[in-house]
Amino acid sequence: MQVFFIVYQLWNALFFTSYLPIQSRLFPVDVRCTGTALTYNLAFSIASIIPTICSYFFADYESPFFLVMFFILAVITALISIIILVIRGRGQYAY
């Protein structure tokens, strides 16, 4: 169990050290703080509802099919968002 928490904390550290600087570059300087805060809080508000939705599907249908479909939908949505960001930001974010 301790190994899980170590890996989990490493994942969080790696994710947020690369995620927040990239996210802040998506917005102009005059709305950067508001845009970053709004997207961050909106994403975590939506993510907090996911366990309730998954519990509902599993309790009603007693099949992991809907959970798998929900996960696949989330992955497809994330991939589409990444592709759109890469296309719109081509050459804009030079490191």
Side-chain angles (χ1 to χ4, degrees):
M1 190 63 140
Q2 290 177 343
V3 173
F4 169 75
F5 287 117
I6 292 171
V7 171
Y8 178 72
Q9 289 301 325
L10 283 173
W11 166 256
N12 280 341
L14 292 172
F15 178 73
F16 283 109
T17 55
S18 62
Y19 167 73
L20 293 176
I22 292 171
Q23 184 185 17
S24 68
R25 291 181 183 206
L26 294 175
F27 301 102
V29 175
D30 55 342
V31 294
R32 185 168 288 170
C33 184
T34 303
T36 302
L38 185 66
T39 56
Y40 182 84
N41 289 319
L42 184 64
F44 279 94
S45 297
I46 293 170
S48 67
I49 300 172
I50 291 175
T52 305
I53 294 170
C54 291
S55 297
Y56 170 77
F57 282 140
F58 193 72
D60 277 1
Y61 300 107
E62 296 180 359
S63 171
F65 174 73
F66 289 101
L67 298 177
V68 171
M69 294 308 292
F70 186 76
F71 180 75
I72 290 172
L73 179 67
V75 169
I76 289 172
T77 304
L79 288 175
I80 290 171
S81 300
I82 290 169
I83 291 169
I84 289 172
L85 283 174
V86 167
I87 290 171
R88 284 180 54 196
R90 189 172 306 271
Q92 190 175 13
Y93 308 109
Y95 294 105

